Amino acid sequence: MITDKIKIAVLGYGNIGCAAEESVNSAPDMVLTGIYHHNDDLKKIKADVVLICTPTREVEHYAEKLLKRGISVIDSFDIHPQIYSLRQSLKPIAEAHKAVSIISAGWDPGTDSVIRTLLQAMAPNGITYTNFGPGRSMGHTVAAKAIKGVKDALSMTIPVGTSIHRRMVYVELEKNAKFAQVEKAILKDDYFAHDETHVIPVPSIKELNNVAHGVLLERYGVSGNTHNQRFEFKMEINNPALTAQIMTACARAAYRMCKQKKYGAYTLIEIPPIALLPGDEETNIRTLV
Amino acid sequence: MITDKIKIAVLGYGNIGCAAEESVNSAPDMVLTGIYHHNDDLKKIKADVVLICTPTREVEHYAEKLLKRGISVIDSFDIHPQIYSLRQSLKPIAEAHKAVSIISAGWDPGTDSVIRTLLQAMAPNGITYTNFGPGRSMGHTVAAKAIKGVKDALSMTIPVGTSIHRRMVYVELEKNAKFAQVEKAILKDDYFAHDETHVIPVPSIKELNNVAHGVLLERYGVSGNTHNQRFEFKMEINNPALTAQIMTACARAAYRMCKQKKYGAYTLIEIPPIALLPGDEETNIRTLV
């Protein structure tokens, strides 16, 4: 294929993979070279950058394999306490194979991390509250589905302020399962035991499905000696569409960093924001500042 | 002075200079080496980085002089259409003298520019509205003060949505000045002729003084093919305190970029956000993502 566009492949074709196909096809400077299922032969992939849209626990495995072929990779790995170790493990591989990995490149972790960093620079003393939702929590949904007697489940995260969340757990029961037992098991589960949790039986989970999500980031802090500096960042978004769009923007940054020989593994807060946008950097600087 | 702290000097001692003294003194990794008035002898300044807190039109003059001495500089130059040409004129000087200049390092231009860049990456199609205020507009205040018969003035910027602003112009009249004539002259002035403007006579401007300001950035846009992605960033802040704090954070970034030999002139959107924070970068990455 002869083109000066960035060649992007998508690995994994769930919610985020589908949205990634759309965002890559909408990008003026990219061409989609293929969509691959996670059990496809990775050697078939031809691309400058691969968007890894597999479940989060499979990210490291595929990132390693692709980096070793010199292909840059983007993921939206979202297990916060393991992000740093993922970066440390991918960094030497990316460096050795002259590629770039941008990890945890979604909205949280990801663009929210950039906002939190900025707010901390703007008001070094103070508290930042991250209030998620309303929206589906993948981790909690999976935990609820694993409970005996649950055929299908949906755990919604409801923000109640100051980084505290309520869990609304909708369950579709197996035949003959007793709701009272299922409710008790969910409330005892470590995923739910520490938050206000309500379990609600419904005839069908499918009908509740909605990929809307959101966040309210708040910081009240101190700049210099001046208190009462107030900041808010709020989003109401389609979750996979935003995640895929941010990954796509990061693919562009990874491609550029490769050209500049800045090989390695990075989180979003380590990347100049201008690198995320298509088009000539000098023109963008002129327009955006 | 033997210290491993970053040596910072402040040039100019108005609202922002005073706040800069406080923010530098609050920074754990900095030491303030001096505060200089704009007519002091610049050769006396000993510092790694100078915060240029003079009026915006004097920034280029002082930045050039200091860069030529190999001293990095930070400013909050705020005339939007001239930012790019300031960067282009300071860039070769900074490169030649192994220094770093971070320009327009306030909140708008500055951190707002970073947020606008992020939002454009997150939803490439759509409109961003920047709604300023309520707060004092320096440019409009100066324009009102220049009108014949005006002893003192204050022009407040009031947001009315979709980047449209109302101007509330408070005027303290000279003895024998006629309010009707002053009002007419203000409404005809090019600074005010295009916006809804109200002129109000008051006995004393001094009593109205308040450095509060704010912004509401809104973007409704499209990620991939998905419309109705909604974003809001809102601040209610003490203006000079925030401006000085951002300049201080940028002084840290400039110092680090100098160590990494990334000499030149930069706007905030070209800088990795992590460079703004004190302390070990690896520890910060671990904490913030």
Side-chain angles (χ1 to χ4, degrees):
Chain A
M1 190 184 309
I2 300 168
T3 170
D4 57 355
K5 292 192 170 184
I6 311 172
K7 296 174 196 69
I8 308 280
V10 170
L11 177 65
Y13 202 54
N15 278 335
I16 296 178
C18 286
E21 179 185 10
E22 294 181 354
S23 60
V24 173
N25 280 331
S26 308
D29 54 347
M30 294 182 175
V31 59
L32 186 66
T33 59
I35 295 167
Y36 299 87
H37 290 270
H38 67 286
N39 50 2
D40 287 356
D41 182 2
L42 294 188
K43 287 190 189 137
K44 291 193 303 187
I45 297 181
K46 291 210 192 322
D48 299 312
V49 190
V50 172
L51 306 183
I52 302 179
C53 304
T54 65
T56 223
R57 291 189 192 283
E58 297 173 19
V59 160
E60 185 164 358
H61 169 75
Y62 290 112
E64 271 188 34
K65 288 209 170 182
L66 290 161
L67 288 172
K68 282 181 180 165
R69 288 190 51 212
I71 298 176
S72 292
V73 290
I74 310 296
D75 66 65
S76 59
F77 184 88
D78 66 352
I79 307 170
H80 282 257
Q82 295 172 25
I83 294 172
Y84 188 76
S85 69
L86 176 64
R87 175 176 172 276
Q88 295 314 92
S89 96
L90 296 183
K91 196 177 178 169
I93 304 171
E95 285 167 353
H97 296 86
K98 300 190 173 178
V100 168
S101 160
I102 303 181
I103 69 166
S104 302
W107 56 272
D108 204 318
T111 47
D112 279 3
S113 318
V114 174
I115 307 271
R116 282 191 288 263
T117 303
L118 271 186
L119 295 185
Q120 193 163 318
M122 293 159 86
N125 297 332
I127 298 174
T128 299
Y129 295 114
T130 302
N131 305 292
F132 291 112
R136 178 171 56 177
S137 164
M138 279 304 289
H140 290 78
T141 295
V142 168
K145 279 185 186 174
I147 300 287
K148 203 185 154 195
V150 174
K151 189 175 167 196
D152 202 357
L154 165 65
S155 181
M156 293 291 288
T157 303
I158 311 296
V160 293
T162 57
S163 307
I164 302 297
H165 298 92
R166 180 190 304 136
R167 310 288 169 187
M168 299 297 288
V169 188
Y170 301 90
V171 289
E172 184 180 332
L173 297 178
E174 301 275 15
K175 252 185 195 167
N176 306 321
K178 295 263 186 289
F179 173 70
Q181 279 174 9
V182 165
E183 183 185 34
K184 204 174 155 188
I186 288 175
L187 295 178
K188 256 181 34 191
D189 188 285
D190 200 53
Y191 258 92
F192 299 99
H194 315 286
D195 297 330
E196 179 194 335
T197 300
H198 302 264
V199 186
I200 298 156
V202 294
S204 163
I205 288 296
K206 217 176 159 187
E207 289 169 17
L208 306 186
N209 191 41
N210 179 359
V211 296
H213 217 311
V215 76
L216 171 63
L217 278 171
E218 297 171 294
R219 186 169 178 88
Y220 309 127
V222 184
S223 309
N225 294 346
T226 302
H227 292 243
N228 199 29
Q229 303 283 71
R230 297 173 163 269
F231 309 89
E232 266 184 38
F233 176 72
K234 190 177 167 186
M235 300 194 301
E236 294 166 344
I237 45 90
N238 173 313
N239 187 357
L242 181 61
T243 302
Q245 183 66 63
I246 295 168
M247 291 176 75
T248 302
C250 287
R252 180 179 294 124
Y255 179 79
R256 286 174 174 158
M257 290 160 78
C258 244
K259 295 272 174 207
Q260 296 159 9
K261 302 188 178 179
K262 294 182 182 166
Y263 310 124
Y266 300 86
T267 56
L268 249 173
I269 59 178
E270 299 168 74
I271 294 172
I274 192 71
L276 301 171
L277 298 184
D280 173 55
E281 191 171 305
E282 295 291 314
T283 310
N284 287 334
I285 292 168
R286 211 184 295 221
T287 317
L288 275 157
V289 289
Chain B
M1 191 184 309
I2 299 167
T3 171
D4 56 356
K5 293 192 171 183
I6 311 171
K7 296 176 196 68
I8 308 280
V10 171
L11 178 64
Y13 202 55
N15 279 333
I16 296 178
C18 287
E21 178 184 12
E22 294 181 355
S23 60
V24 172
N25 281 331
S26 307
D29 54 347
M30 294 181 175
V31 60
L32 185 66
T33 59
I35 296 167
Y36 300 86
H37 290 269
H38 66 287
N39 49 2
D40 286 358
D41 183 1
L42 294 188
K43 287 191 188 136
K44 290 192 304 186
I45 297 182
K46 291 211 192 319
D48 300 313
V49 190
V50 173
L51 306 183
I52 301 179
C53 305
T54 65
T56 224
R57 292 189 191 281
E58 296 174 19
V59 160
E60 185 164 357
H61 168 76
Y62 291 112
E64 272 188 32
K65 287 208 170 184
L66 290 161
L67 287 172
K68 282 180 180 165
R69 288 191 52 211
I71 297 176
S72 292
V73 290
I74 310 296
D75 66 65
S76 59
F77 184 87
D78 66 352
I79 307 170
H80 283 258
Q82 294 172 27
I83 294 172
Y84 188 76
S85 69
L86 176 64
R87 175 176 171 276
Q88 295 315 92
S89 96
L90 295 183
K91 195 176 179 171
I93 303 171
E95 285 168 353
H97 297 86
K98 300 192 173 177
V100 168
S101 160
I102 302 182
I103 70 166
S104 302
W107 55 273
D108 204 318
T111 46
D112 279 2
S113 318
V114 174
I115 307 271
R116 281 190 289 263
T117 303
L118 270 186
L119 295 185
Q120 192 162 320
M122 294 160 86
N125 297 332
I127 298 172
T128 299
Y129 295 113
T130 302
N131 305 292
F132 291 112
R136 178 171 55 176
S137 163
M138 279 304 288
H140 290 78
T141 295
V142 168
K145 279 185 187 174
I147 300 287
K148 204 186 153 195
V150 175
K151 189 176 168 193
D152 202 357
L154 165 65
S155 180
M156 292 292 286
T157 303
I158 311 297
V160 293
T162 57
S163 308
I164 302 295
H165 297 92
R166 180 189 303 136
R167 311 287 168 188
M168 299 297 288
V169 188
Y170 301 91
V171 288
E172 186 180 332
L173 297 177
E174 301 276 15
K175 250 185 197 168
N176 306 321
K178 295 264 186 289
F179 174 69
Q181 280 174 8
V182 164
E183 184 185 34
K184 204 175 157 189
I186 288 175
L187 295 178
K188 255 179 37 189
D189 188 285
D190 199 54
Y191 258 93
F192 299 99
H194 315 287
D195 297 331
E196 178 193 335
T197 301
H198 302 261
V199 186
I200 298 156
V202 295
S204 163
I205 289 295
K206 218 178 159 187
E207 290 170 16
L208 307 186
N209 191 41
N210 178 0
V211 296
H213 217 309
V215 77
L216 171 63
L217 278 171
E218 297 170 293
R219 186 170 179 87
Y220 310 126
V222 184
S223 309
N225 295 345
T226 302
H227 292 245
N228 199 29
Q229 303 283 72
R230 295 173 165 270
F231 309 89
E232 266 185 37
F233 177 71
K234 192 178 167 185
M235 302 194 301
E236 294 168 342
I237 46 91
N238 173 313
N239 188 357
L242 182 60
T243 303
Q245 183 66 63
I246 295 169
M247 291 176 74
T248 302
C250 287
R252 179 179 294 124
Y255 179 78
R256 287 175 174 160
M257 290 160 80
C258 244
K259 294 272 175 207
Q260 296 159 9
K261 303 188 178 180
K262 294 182 182 166
Y263 310 123
Y266 300 86
T267 56
L268 249 172
I269 58 177
E270 299 168 74
I271 295 172
I274 192 70
L276 301 171
L277 298 184
D280 174 55
E281 192 172 304
E282 296 290 315
T283 310
N284 287 335
I285 292 168
R286 212 183 296 221
T287 317
L288 276 158
V289 289

